[in-house]
Amino acid sequence: MVVQSRPHARSVEVPDSPYCRGTMQSTHDNEEMEGVLILSIAMRRTLLVLLIFSAGIASYNWNLFRVADPSFFAQTNADSEELILDGILHGENGTPMIGRYNRLIDISPGIERKLYVDRDTSGEFRRYTSQFGMQYYFFFHFSKYVSRDYRVMQLVASALMAAVVCGFFVGIASISTDTLGLAFALPLLISPWVAAFAANLYWVEFTWFLPALIALLMGGRAYLSLRWFALLCILMFASFLLRLLSGYEFASTVVLASFVFLLLHGLRERVSAWRILALVVAVGCISLLAFATAVMLHARVIGPDMASGLGQVTEVAAKRLSAKYCDEACIKAACATEFEGAKSAEEKTGICVGRLRASLSASVYKMIPRYLLMQHFVPWIDYFSDMSEEKKSEISALAHELKIAIVSHSMQGVVRIAVGMNRSLIVSIASAGISVLAFLAFNLAVFHTLVKRRSSLSAVTLASFLCSASWFVLAKGHSYIHTHIDFVLWYLLYIPLGLASIVDSKCRLSANWGEKPAEVSSGKLPLGSL
C-alpha cells in the first residue's frame, strides 16, 4: 500500500501596518477550518459590497456625505441633462429625439429640471446631432412605461454607477486583497467630480467605466481559454458600442482604460509580451469596429441619407480636434447653428466663436499642465468657499489682472490687487489652491511609489496616467473649453490605481501581483484567481 504524505501547512503572513491586519494561517490538514475561512472571507466581502453599493447610491443621488458643495453637485452639467429632459417632453407629443428647446428666456443654472416638471415646451425644439442618443431612448421609454419622475431616473443612473464601483472592488479584491479593493473604490465614492456626474441622465457615467470593468473581471480568463476570449470580445464590443452611442466624449480614455487591466492580467499570468500585445490589439480592433458601427447608426439617424449623415458627424468631430480640420468658416457656422433662435443669439455666438477659435489653436503641450491644476480634488473643502458662478467670474477676472501685472513687472499692480481682495474671495482662492496642491502632492506620492517599487501594479498605474491624459491631447479642442467637465477623467483610472499603489507600498499587500495565484511563498498574500 502506498502512503501519500500530506502537504505541509502553509502560512500566509500580512506585515504589520496601520492599513493591515496581523497573521493568518491556512492549512490543508484541516479542511473544515479552511472551509470556515473561505466562508468568512466571502461573507466579509459580501458585506463590503453591500456597504459600497449603499454608500455609492447615497453619495451619487443625494450627496448624502456632502463630499461636494451643494451648488456644484446640483448644477454641474445640468444644462447637458436638459438635452434628455427636453427630448422626453418633445417625444411625448411628437417624434422621440434628443435635443432642447431654444426658449427665449435666460436659463439660470439648475432651472432645467423645473422646466421639465412644468412641461415647458416654449421655443423651437432643435435636435442634438452630436451623438446617437442611446441614453435618451432608454430614459424616454423608462419615463413612458415606468416613471416620468426625473429623480427616479437619476436614481437608476446612480445605482448603475454604484454597481460598477462594487464590481471594481470585487475584481481588485479577487486578485489582491480587500484592502486594495477598498483603496481603489474609495476615490470613486468620495470624489466631488464622480458624485456630480453619476446621476446625470446625459452623461450616464457608468458607461465610461464599463469596458474597463469587463476587462478586469474577464481579462485573466481570456488569456487561458478561447471560449472566454470570445466572450470577452463580445462583451467589450457591446460596452464600447453602448458608450459611443451615448456620446463620443472621452472615447480614447475609455478604450485605453480597458487596456490597463488586460496588461495587469497578462503580467499576473506571466504570459509573453506578444500574447499581451495580441489581446490588446484584438480589443483595440473591437473598439474600432464599435466606433464604426456607432458612426453609421448615428449618421443614419440624423441625416436623410447615410452620406449627408456622415458629413454632419465629420463636422462635429472636426470641432473637437484642431484648426487643421475646422477653419474660420467652419467655426462661425458651428456657433451660429448652436445658438440660432436663442435669446441674445448674436452675443452668445460671438463668445462661442472666440472660445472655439482659441481651443482649436491651443498648444497640446499646455493641456496636461493645465489639467494638473485640479479643482475639487479634496472632498468637503468647497464648503469653506463660495463657488457660485459670480465668484468664479470674479476670480477669473482677478487672475487675468494679476497675469497682466506680473507680465508688465508692476509690483504696485500686484499689491493693489492683493489689498483689494475681500475675505470671501481669499477663502475661495485658498480652498481652490489647497485642492490644486493636494493633487500635485498626490502625483508626487504616486510617482515616488512607482519608482520605489517596480511591480505590475506600478506598471498599470503609470499606464492609467497616460490613458487618463490621452483625451486632453487627442481632443484638445474639447478639453480646452470643457475644464468644468474633463477633470473627472483623472478618475478613469489613474486616481483609484494611484491610491491603491500608495496603500500597497505601505502594506506590501501585492508583492506578487506579477505572479500566478498559485505561486505563493512565505510572507506574501495569496492572490485569488479570476
Side-chain angles (χ1 to χ4, degrees), residues 14-22 179 503 506-509:
V14 184
D16 267 350
S17 165
Y19 307 93
C20 314
R21 295 186 177 178
T179 302
V503 172
K506 300 295 183 181
C507 290
R508 300 185 182 277
L509 290 178

PDB file of all heavy atoms in Angstrom, residues 14-22 179 503 506-509:
ATOM      1  N   VAL A  14       0.715  38.670   6.877  1.00  0.00           N
ATOM      2  CA  VAL A  14       0.471  40.037   6.451  1.00  0.00           C
ATOM      3  C   VAL A  14       1.293  40.944   7.339  1.00  0.00           C
ATOM      4  O   VAL A  14       1.161  40.903   8.553  1.00  0.00           O
ATOM      5  CB  VAL A  14      -1.030  40.394   6.584  1.00  0.00           C
ATOM      6  CG1 VAL A  14      -1.281  41.778   6.049  1.00  0.00           C
ATOM      7  CG2 VAL A  14      -1.864  39.359   5.865  1.00  0.00           C
ATOM      8  N   PRO A  15       2.162  41.739   6.806  1.00  0.00           N
ATOM      9  CA  PRO A  15       3.012  42.587   7.634  1.00  0.00           C
ATOM     10  C   PRO A  15       2.207  43.586   8.442  1.00  0.00           C
ATOM     11  O   PRO A  15       1.151  44.033   8.013  1.00  0.00           O
ATOM     12  CB  PRO A  15       3.903  43.295   6.605  1.00  0.00           C
ATOM     13  CG  PRO A  15       3.184  43.174   5.315  1.00  0.00           C
ATOM     14  CD  PRO A  15       2.375  41.930   5.369  1.00  0.00           C
ATOM     15  N   ASP A  16       2.747  43.915   9.629  1.00  0.00           N
ATOM     16  CA  ASP A  16       2.082  44.917  10.470  1.00  0.00           C
ATOM     17  C   ASP A  16       2.129  46.269   9.793  1.00  0.00           C
ATOM     18  O   ASP A  16       3.150  46.669   9.244  1.00  0.00           O
ATOM     19  CB  ASP A  16       2.790  45.021  11.833  1.00  0.00           C
ATOM     20  CG  ASP A  16       2.137  44.121  12.854  1.00  0.00           C
ATOM     21  OD1 ASP A  16       1.055  43.607  12.529  1.00  0.00           O
ATOM     22  OD2 ASP A  16       2.694  43.954  13.940  1.00  0.00           O
ATOM     23  N   SER A  17       1.029  46.967   9.827  1.00  0.00           N
ATOM     24  CA  SER A  17       0.924  48.286   9.217  1.00  0.00           C
ATOM     25  C   SER A  17      -0.350  48.929   9.705  1.00  0.00           C
ATOM     26  O   SER A  17      -1.284  48.234  10.076  1.00  0.00           O
ATOM     27  CB  SER A  17       0.894  48.155   7.685  1.00  0.00           C
ATOM     28  OG  SER A  17       0.460  49.344   7.108  1.00  0.00           O
ATOM     29  N   PRO A  18      -0.445  50.226   9.702  1.00  0.00           N
ATOM     30  CA  PRO A  18      -1.698  50.875  10.073  1.00  0.00           C
ATOM     31  C   PRO A  18      -2.846  50.454   9.166  1.00  0.00           C
ATOM     32  O   PRO A  18      -3.994  50.592   9.507  1.00  0.00           O
ATOM     33  CB  PRO A  18      -1.398  52.374   9.886  1.00  0.00           C
ATOM     34  CG  PRO A  18       0.079  52.487   9.930  1.00  0.00           C
ATOM     35  CD  PRO A  18       0.618  51.203   9.405  1.00  0.00           C
ATOM     36  N   TYR A  19      -2.514  49.933   7.947  1.00  0.00           N
ATOM     37  CA  TYR A  19      -3.546  49.605   6.988  1.00  0.00           C
ATOM     38  C   TYR A  19      -3.876  48.113   6.989  1.00  0.00           C
ATOM     39  O   TYR A  19      -4.799  47.686   6.332  1.00  0.00           O
ATOM     40  CB  TYR A  19      -3.104  49.979   5.560  1.00  0.00           C
ATOM     41  CG  TYR A  19      -2.648  51.401   5.443  1.00  0.00           C
ATOM     42  CD1 TYR A  19      -1.305  51.744   5.586  1.00  0.00           C
ATOM     43  CD2 TYR A  19      -3.561  52.415   5.202  1.00  0.00           C
ATOM     44  CE1 TYR A  19      -0.895  53.059   5.471  1.00  0.00           C
ATOM     45  CE2 TYR A  19      -3.161  53.735   5.078  1.00  0.00           C
ATOM     46  CZ  TYR A  19      -1.833  54.039   5.210  1.00  0.00           C
ATOM     47  OH  TYR A  19      -1.424  55.328   5.089  1.00  0.00           O
ATOM     48  N   CYS A  20      -3.076  47.307   7.650  1.00  0.00           N
ATOM     49  CA  CYS A  20      -3.169  45.862   7.504  1.00  0.00           C
ATOM     50  C   CYS A  20      -3.432  45.190   8.838  1.00  0.00           C
ATOM     51  O   CYS A  20      -3.235  45.769   9.889  1.00  0.00           O
ATOM     52  CB  CYS A  20      -1.861  45.306   6.916  1.00  0.00           C
ATOM     53  SG  CYS A  20      -1.269  46.244   5.505  1.00  0.00           S
ATOM     54  N   ARG A  21      -3.815  43.935   8.739  1.00  0.00           N
ATOM     55  CA  ARG A  21      -4.017  43.150   9.938  1.00  0.00           C
ATOM     56  C   ARG A  21      -2.845  42.207  10.147  1.00  0.00           C
ATOM     57  O   ARG A  21      -1.931  42.125   9.355  1.00  0.00           O
ATOM     58  CB  ARG A  21      -5.330  42.368   9.825  1.00  0.00           C
ATOM     59  CG  ARG A  21      -6.527  43.315   9.768  1.00  0.00           C
ATOM     60  CD  ARG A  21      -7.811  42.541   9.816  1.00  0.00           C
ATOM     61  NE  ARG A  21      -8.943  43.457   9.845  1.00  0.00           N
ATOM     62  CZ  ARG A  21     -10.203  43.090   9.852  1.00  0.00           C
ATOM     63  NH1 ARG A  21     -10.519  41.815   9.850  1.00  0.00           N
ATOM     64  NH2 ARG A  21     -11.176  43.979   9.877  1.00  0.00           N
ATOM     65  N   GLY A  22      -2.930  41.399  11.189  1.00  0.00           N
ATOM     66  CA  GLY A  22      -1.812  40.565  11.603  1.00  0.00           C
ATOM     67  C   GLY A  22      -1.571  39.337  10.764  1.00  0.00           C
ATOM     68  O   GLY A  22      -1.431  39.405   9.572  1.00  0.00           O
ATOM     69  N   THR A 179      -8.287  45.144   1.134  1.00  0.00           N
ATOM     70  CA  THR A 179      -7.731  46.467   1.437  1.00  0.00           C
ATOM     71  C   THR A 179      -7.458  47.257   0.162  1.00  0.00           C
ATOM     72  O   THR A 179      -7.818  48.432   0.048  1.00  0.00           O
ATOM     73  CB  THR A 179      -6.437  46.341   2.254  1.00  0.00           C
ATOM     74  OG1 THR A 179      -6.709  45.627   3.451  1.00  0.00           O
ATOM     75  CG2 THR A 179      -5.874  47.712   2.596  1.00  0.00           C
ATOM     76  N   VAL A 503      -1.240  52.706  -0.980  1.00  0.00           N
ATOM     77  CA  VAL A 503      -1.602  51.790   0.103  1.00  0.00           C
ATOM     78  C   VAL A 503      -0.793  50.509   0.007  1.00  0.00           C
ATOM     79  O   VAL A 503      -0.304  49.974   1.008  1.00  0.00           O
ATOM     80  CB  VAL A 503      -3.113  51.481   0.069  1.00  0.00           C
ATOM     81  CG1 VAL A 503      -3.475  50.388   1.063  1.00  0.00           C
ATOM     82  CG2 VAL A 503      -3.912  52.740   0.367  1.00  0.00           C
ATOM     83  N   LYS A 506       2.630  50.843   1.441  1.00  0.00           N
ATOM     84  CA  LYS A 506       2.651  50.852   2.898  1.00  0.00           C
ATOM     85  C   LYS A 506       2.456  49.458   3.471  1.00  0.00           C
ATOM     86  O   LYS A 506       3.078  49.087   4.473  1.00  0.00           O
ATOM     87  CB  LYS A 506       1.555  51.780   3.433  1.00  0.00           C
ATOM     88  CG  LYS A 506       1.674  53.233   2.992  1.00  0.00           C
ATOM     89  CD  LYS A 506       2.927  53.874   3.539  1.00  0.00           C
ATOM     90  CE  LYS A 506       3.001  55.353   3.153  1.00  0.00           C
ATOM     91  NZ  LYS A 506       4.243  55.976   3.659  1.00  0.00           N
ATOM     92  N   CYS A 507       1.575  48.690   2.833  1.00  0.00           N
ATOM     93  CA  CYS A 507       1.222  47.360   3.366  1.00  0.00           C
ATOM     94  C   CYS A 507       2.024  46.231   2.745  1.00  0.00           C
ATOM     95  O   CYS A 507       2.074  45.138   3.307  1.00  0.00           O
ATOM     96  CB  CYS A 507      -0.260  47.084   3.119  1.00  0.00           C
ATOM     97  SG  CYS A 507      -1.357  48.074   4.109  1.00  0.00           S
ATOM     98  N   ARG A 508       2.571  46.491   1.554  1.00  0.00           N
ATOM     99  CA  ARG A 508       3.216  45.424   0.773  1.00  0.00           C
ATOM    100  C   ARG A 508       2.247  44.263   0.571  1.00  0.00           C
ATOM    101  O   ARG A 508       2.580  43.095   0.759  1.00  0.00           O
ATOM    102  CB  ARG A 508       4.494  44.929   1.451  1.00  0.00           C
ATOM    103  CG  ARG A 508       5.526  46.027   1.622  1.00  0.00           C
ATOM    104  CD  ARG A 508       6.828  45.488   2.189  1.00  0.00           C
ATOM    105  NE  ARG A 508       7.781  46.546   2.379  1.00  0.00           N
ATOM    106  CZ  ARG A 508       8.566  47.034   1.427  1.00  0.00           C
ATOM    107  NH1 ARG A 508       8.492  46.551   0.218  1.00  0.00           N
ATOM    108  NH2 ARG A 508       9.407  48.013   1.682  1.00  0.00           N
ATOM    109  N   LEU A 509       1.020  44.617   0.167  1.00  0.00           N
ATOM    110  CA  LEU A 509      -0.018  43.599   0.016  1.00  0.00           C
ATOM    111  C   LEU A 509       0.084  42.852  -1.301  1.00  0.00           C
ATOM    112  O   LEU A 509      -0.415  41.749  -1.419  1.00  0.00           O
ATOM    113  CB  LEU A 509      -1.393  44.268   0.093  1.00  0.00           C
ATOM    114  CG  LEU A 509      -1.786  44.802   1.466  1.00  0.00           C
ATOM    115  CD1 LEU A 509      -3.136  45.483   1.375  1.00  0.00           C
ATOM    116  CD2 LEU A 509      -1.836  43.682   2.475  1.00  0.00           C
TER     117      LEU A 509
END
